[in-house]
Amino acid sequence: MSKLIDVSDLNIFYGDFLAVEDVNMTIEPRAVTALIGPSGCGKSTFLRSLNRMHEVIPGARVEGKVVMDGQDLYDKDVDPVSVRQHIGMVFQRPNPFPTMSIYENVAAGVRLNAKRMKKSDLDDLVESSLRGANLWNEVKDRLDKPGMGLSGGQQQRLCIARAIAIRPSVLLMDEPCSALDPISTLAVEDLIGELKNEYTIVIVTHNMQQAARVSDQTGFFNLAGVGKPGKLVEIDSTSTIFSNPSQKATEDYISGRFG
Amino acid sequence: MSTPTRAPERGPGGGGIATGTKRRGDGLFRGTATGAGVLILLVLAAVAVFLVYEALPALSPDAEVDGGSLTAYVGPLLFGTVLAAVIALVVATPVSVGIGLFISHFAPRRAAQGLGYLVDLLAAVPSIVYGIWGIVVLSQWMVPVYAWLTDNLGFIPLFAGPASASGRTILTAGLVLAVMILPIITALARDIFLQTPRLHEEAALALGATRWEMIKYSVIPYGRSGVVSAAMLGLGRALGETMAVALVLSVSNVVTFNLISSTNPSTIAANIALNFPEATGIDTNVLIASGLALFVITFLVNFAARWIVARSGAKA
């Protein structure tokens, strides 16, 4: 199910403002790709352009190509809704649907995509998704309780369960642990390690140790100054980036000399 | 900072923590706010006391009221009031929610702004103007509609007819009221829809929701309690509206669910407006008693609205 994404000559705009310039990268399947860099360098913006969530902001647009499965996601015949069904997303802050129960939250994506499902099949799907998100044992006795009643870390895993319930090929994570305590962070990181067996994962993180722990390849974004566009400085295997980067800027950043 | 010599002359300073300092601005503000809060209670109490006191003669069992007893007189008025207001609410709420969603989530930004102003402008039109529009324009339009309704849907008691030839029915009055309460519900609904957290909207979009599905999953659940309270505010206004109904409706003191005939119950407020100038003696008291009934009904509606909002708010 997991797929490779090929990004070429991608420029990302907010109105007339060029936010991210000329990104070229290949995102490997069945692997975790981490994106690191200082605040405002465009890594989240880039991530959101991979499943066409960028364009929900008024005036936001993209030039260039994002190819998955031989299909350019920005081809004018492509429906962004269908892109998002194939490329799931987990956000910075957990965002379960506040009025829905745990069960309904997980089932939401399937119901949205208008697939008719037997109750028993849906039950199985909810269970397997919650198991996939390492949450089943904690919530199996209270599936009908509101999702908002869970702790922050549990909510975030609920959101991951919700995202994987629609069986996407790719999972994008935008700083998924930044609102979580260390123990919940560990739970989510363990989960990422398991999920990469099935999904292509792209994770944006501010935490370099996290990138080093969970990812197989790491991309470093940087920007020349305020008001200048962000750029992909380099992307390589995580061990290379953290031990022997080819760019000086990368070395400065990971060794904590700036950023 | 351990530089006590530079402490200013006024205010706490000069060493140690000051005690018993009075901050005048603080006290003034608290006094004003408390005063405003107490004032509204006093006004409300004064209105209630006035209504009860003036209604007392009519409330005594041996009071002479045209139409027999007080309940036989006020009952149909109360019924007409609630009926007209409910018609208005049923018509206006879906339309308002639709306009609110269109402005907040569908219209291009500039068109949305213009439309928003236009809706706000509707709220500023005096009710007498709506009344004239209702009697001159809307009731004429509705005559053929009512005829059609009786002919084709006459088996539904609501449209049993015979259709009014003037179009001045309780349904027309309800529709005029709907137009009048539309702006207030729309404005509140729009504001609450605009406040939907981006995070909730993106949660739905990222799952592959279309625009409408995103609204169904994020915006509407978030705005539900707000829409309910907006509708209740609208209902409150519809219950108390006077001139438009007084102009439009051709009345007789009946209780009927037939919405399109020429015999219609009047509403309390309209009835007071029409009869008060000529009323003397006990009739005045009777009218005020009906006003007391309206007061109670409005109070109950607002109370119910609060309760609904609090209940659904706790769930969210």
Side-chain angles (χ1 to χ4, degrees), chain A residues 48 53 56-58 81 84-85 89 91 93-95 97-100 108-109 111-113 162-163 166, chain B residues 109 198-211 213-214 216-218 221-222 224 315-316:
Chain A
R48 291 167 59 92
M53 280 299 283
V56 306
I57 296 162
V81 168
R84 292 174 203 141
Q85 287 166 4
M89 187 159 198
F91 294 84
R93 292 203 349 250
N95 57 352
F97 294 115
T99 50
M100 291 186 193
R111 293 220 168 108
L112 269 179
N113 298 328
R162 181 177 67 185
I166 57 175
Chain B
R109 210 182 303 178
R198 183 148 215 113
L199 211 58
H200 293 178
E201 297 182 2
E202 292 190 340
L205 288 175
L207 285 176
T210 60
R211 186 84 66 99
E213 289 166 337
M214 180 270 279
K216 197 169 69 175
Y217 272 63
S218 306
Y222 178 79
R224 192 184 296 142
K315 236 198 271 173

Side-chain angles (χ1 to χ4, degrees), chain B residues 17-266:
Chain B
I17 292 164
T19 52
T21 344
K22 285 272 182 198
R23 292 184 176 78
R24 269 185 58 212
D26 213 28
L28 196 69
F29 181 75
R30 187 175 52 210
T32 321
T34 314
V38 171
L39 186 69
I40 189 68
L41 284 178
L42 285 179
V43 170
L44 206 62
V47 171
V49 166
F50 162 80
L51 283 175
V52 171
Y53 181 78
E54 290 289 324
L56 268 181
L59 292 175
S60 68
D62 50 326
E64 296 229 348
V65 185
D66 39 294
S69 70
L70 184 69
T71 41
Y73 180 74
V74 176
L77 290 175
L78 204 56
F79 173 78
T81 307
V82 174
L83 183 60
V86 167
I87 293 172
L89 198 64
V90 167
V91 174
T93 308
V95 178
S96 300
V97 169
I99 300 174
L101 282 175
F102 176 72
I103 293 176
S104 65
H105 283 85
F106 286 99
R109 210 182 303 178
R110 211 171 284 169
Q113 219 160 37
L115 197 60
Y117 288 138
L118 218 62
V119 172
D120 288 346
L121 204 65
L122 271 183
V125 176
S127 62
I128 188 101
V129 174
Y130 283 111
I132 294 171
W133 173 75
I135 195 171
V136 175
V137 181
L138 185 66
S139 54
Q140 300 309 311
W141 286 353
M142 295 311 283
V143 171
V145 177
Y146 293 154
W148 184 89
L149 280 176
T150 330
D151 290 346
N152 295 285
L153 296 171
F155 58 90
I156 303 171
L158 294 177
F159 306 126
S164 160
S166 65
R168 296 169 60 187
T169 69
I170 190 99
L171 185 54
T172 310
L175 291 176
V176 173
L177 286 178
V179 177
M180 296 180 67
I181 65 176
L182 199 71
I184 189 166
I185 305 181
T186 304
L188 291 169
R190 174 195 60 195
D191 286 351
I192 197 106
F193 291 150
L194 280 174
Q195 284 169 19
T196 312
R198 183 148 215 113
L199 211 58
H200 293 178
E201 297 182 2
E202 292 190 340
L205 288 175
L207 285 176
T210 60
R211 186 84 66 99
W212 155 241
E213 289 166 337
M214 180 270 279
I215 286 170
K216 197 169 69 175
Y217 272 63
S218 306
V219 180
I220 290 179
Y222 178 79
R224 192 184 296 142
S225 65
V227 168
V228 170
S229 60
M232 289 301 145
L233 271 178
L235 182 61
R237 176 155 188 218
L239 285 171
E241 178 46 43
T242 311
M243 288 322 296
V245 180
L247 280 182
V248 168
L249 210 52
S250 92
V251 297
S252 39
N253 206 5
V254 293
V255 172
T256 171
F257 278 106
N258 187 346
L259 300 182
I260 60 173
S261 76
S262 50
T263 52
N264 298 287
S266 185

